[in-house]
Amino acid sequence: MILCSTARDGIDDATERTMPRRLLWAAALLLCAGLVGYLAARPGDPPPAHGSVLNRGNVAEPDTLDPPQYGLTVELEIMDDLFLGLTTPDMHGNVVPGAAENWDVSADGRTYTFHLRDGLRWSDGSPLTAMDFVAGIRRMLDPATHSQFANFAYKIHNGKLVNEGKLPPEDAGVFAPDDRTLVITLDRPTPILILLTALPLFDPLPRAAYARYGKDWIKPGKMVSDGAFTLAEWVPQGHVRLKKNPYFYDARNVHLDEVDFFPTDNDEAALKRFRARELDLNLRFPPTMYQWLQRNLPGEALIAPNLALTYLTFNLKDPAVGDLRVRRALSLAIDRERLTKEILRTGEVPAYGLIPPAIAGYAGARIEGAGVPYEARLARARALLMQAGYDAAHPLALTYNCRLGELNRRVAVAIQAMWADIGVRTDIVTEEVAMHYNRLRTRDFQVADAGWQAPPDPEYYLYLLESESTEANYADYSDPAFDKLVYDTQAVMDRTQRFAAFARAEKIALDALPIVPLFFPVNRALVQPYVKGYAENALDTHPSRYIRLLPH
């Protein structure tokens, strides 16, 4: 799951491969033809399409396309194509102006005034106004919407009280003094509000479509959106088809006519489709195939650092893993170096804390056993299990729920073998990604794998264990000291002080081990050589509006 980050629009041609001269000539002719067509357009007409279809692998089937209800990374890529927030991720994973061309911040840091671009329109051609953003934020905070991450908006004045049903949505600190101005007031300052406004939580709501169709407004043929693309078709487990939005404010720079997202939870099948050119882009490949891909498809299998964490979560209500001695034993028995170097082998980094090393300047806490020789850790793990009442005659038996995907399965099998070395019997149950996370949200598991991807600030990662984070805190971990320290630190504007306080909070959580960090992943992408405008970035976000296809 991803939550987003500041720089430039456009495509850096200097970083692209050299193309054959006749393709350069053909591309120049196409560009000239498009320019002539645009210049010949009548005033007020939408700019012409550039004429191509992008076939994207999407790892898994989305659960929803309703912005405030999103919960999975595989939904975020599609939503970022469909909707334009106040701010938005660019091709490099930075947060840049979106529907808001600029904003002002009050001296006390508690009032943000966003100024919308002139002439914004919905995909049906109707005007988009600041009141549509007000409506979207109010709906997200409304408890009837069941927004998974509404608590990120508790920074808004009265946001928590509205989401708890104690105040009406109209009392939230968001209002529109005119059609092009949106004001958000906060209870206290925060350094990450601009990052938050790039999330679907803050997307505008097409009020007319919502009033007409209610919850069905997100269906094809009914959805009205303000992003670079519109929803044309959604065939469950088949594809999500998007069409270019002619009323998008920057439509003249969108090169694709259509984007088709395909669920590709089977890495090997996705690779076969990529080799057959049925997929132009897929944000995953089988990790065991990396060396082969480098030899046989040079330059098409890309690896990059990732601002993400892969971890195990425990159901603390389960009698077995509710015992801290058991959780400590299970964590100690995991050989993270062997896991990353021998099992994964594509540059993943062993994780002994919750915060990715890509966040510069953060020196966090480490779990028990970090730096201790593995054999000594195994001896300590066996002793802890014996203290908890488990031995060869009465072994600990666990069910390990695992997300579908070759990497996830390989990690699970490796951990199963490591736990067997301390006498633990583990059954692995694999499910499709959306089903897996639904199981975690309903607490129908014992131990399970999970992933989290977020912008470069510790606040987003410690969110996993806040008591109010009911949709991501699958362990139901609760510690008042941890919660208070995190809450107090969220309003600290000085980066050094902020990071030091978050490290103290991280230490509290790691001592309790409600979750066990495994490794910091890398981005593994398959990109055809004719795909341009794809830029590797730590957030692994790649809006289709920046992508173009060369003749092939």
Side-chain angles (χ1 to χ4, degrees), residues 3 64 66-71 75 79 136-154 159 162-164 199-203 441 463 468-472:
L3 287 170
T64 180
D66 193 349
Q69 294 180 335
Y70 94 100
E75 297 159 355
M79 289 180 187
I137 295 171
R138 286 176 176 173
R139 176 173 176 256
M140 175 265 294
L141 286 170
D142 189 332
T145 304
H146 303 293
S147 177
Q148 293 187 35
F149 298 114
N151 43 9
F152 271 111
Y154 286 4
V162 169
N163 193 237
E164 291 175 343
L199 299 178
L201 298 173
F202 288 79
D203 282 347
R441 282 191 288 268
Y463 169 80
E468 290 183 344
S469 174
T470 56
E471 290 295 334

Side-chain angles (χ1 to χ4, degrees), residues 333-452:
I334 298 172
D335 189 340
R336 293 162 179 80
E337 280 71 22
R338 182 154 62 93
L339 199 62
T340 54
K341 293 178 182 178
E342 299 179 16
I343 307 300
L344 302 176
R345 297 185 297 174
T346 49
E348 292 81 359
V349 177
Y352 290 96
L354 304 176
I355 317 300
I359 299 181
Y362 183 81
R366 290 162 68 83
I367 57 174
E368 179 184 357
V372 176
Y374 185 58
E375 288 303 322
R377 286 163 49 190
L378 287 181
R380 174 63 175 153
R382 295 186 185 104
L384 285 167
L385 286 181
M386 289 192 66
Q387 291 175 21
Y390 299 102
D391 54 26
H394 301 90
L396 173 63
L398 297 175
T399 299
Y400 179 136
N401 286 90
C402 167
R403 293 164 293 168
L404 193 62
E406 182 182 344
L407 180 146
N408 300 323
R409 177 71 184 181
R410 287 171 59 82
V411 168
V413 170
I415 290 176
Q416 180 187 49
M418 295 171 188
W419 285 349
D421 287 343
I422 59 171
V424 177
R425 298 176 182 175
T426 309
D427 289 329
I428 299 172
V429 177
T430 303
E431 290 182 301
E432 186 270 333
V433 173
M435 292 178 61
H436 176 86
Y437 279 107
N438 284 335
R439 182 180 297 279
L440 267 57
R441 282 191 288 268
T442 58
R443 311 304 191 250
D444 182 22
F445 73 100
Q446 193 172 27
V447 56
D449 70 356
W452 185 254

